[in-house]
Amino acid sequence: MRAPAADDASIRLFGPASLAIAGLFGTAIAGGILIALNYAAMRRYAAMAVAALIVGPTLFGLLTSLVAYSAGPQDPGWQIALNFVALQSAAAAAVGDMLQGRFVRARLRAGQALASRWLALIVAIVSLPLVAVIGLPIVAATMR
């Protein structure tokens, strides 16, 4: 696996902070989309497809199920929501760093800018309908 040329200023990757923002506002699905966009910028299209179609939705499903199963009837709704949001944000940043962290760090060492965090927020908000489509059946199945 090769990183893009460190001196290619046209490539802007999303860093861990952007992935955490995406996870916070758009769950791990948005984080998976940003990971896929990073792979597309690096011209690694097979990895892009895996990130978009498998990494984000699978991570989202696992974390949603974990939170739904661990929640008891005595737990207040705000606590469940906080656990859900915190897990999604941390997982998106951690998985992104695990998969692409060395590429992002190489770009930073070379003095190159990262992609906009505002763009990460926009991607997160736009991905919310996917969250509803994928997440509602999971929550309904686990809350029986």
Side-chain angles (χ1 to χ4, degrees):
M1 189 179 327
R2 291 183 31 214
D7 59 352
D8 187 355
S10 66
I11 296 175
R12 297 209 172 190
L13 302 177
F14 291 99
S18 293
L19 293 169
I21 289 168
L24 182 66
F25 292 102
T27 72
I29 291 176
I33 292 170
L34 293 187
I35 292 168
L37 291 173
N38 279 352
Y39 279 129
M42 293 186 281
R43 295 174 188 83
R44 301 198 55 230
Y45 301 110
M48 176 193 76
V50 169
L53 299 174
I54 297 173
V55 172
T58 301
L59 191 59
F60 172 75
L62 289 172
L63 294 173
T64 302
S65 298
L66 176 70
V67 170
Y69 275 121
S70 67
Q74 73 283 359
D75 293 333
W78 65 266
Q79 184 180 19
I80 297 168
L82 183 62
N83 290 341
F84 177 76
V85 169
L87 278 174
Q88 297 287 326
S89 181
V95 169
D97 188 59
M98 189 173 59
L99 294 174
Q100 301 170 336
R102 65 185 171 142
F103 302 136
V104 172
R105 286 186 290 280
R107 308 266 318 145
L108 289 173
R109 278 193 302 273
Q112 299 296 324
L114 295 177
S116 168
R117 292 179 183 160
W118 288 106
L119 181 57
L121 178 62
I122 291 168
V123 169
I125 292 169
V126 170
S127 72
L128 287 176
L130 285 174
V131 173
V133 168
I134 296 173
L136 289 177
I138 294 171
V139 171
T142 56
M143 296 300 260
R144 293 182 188 193

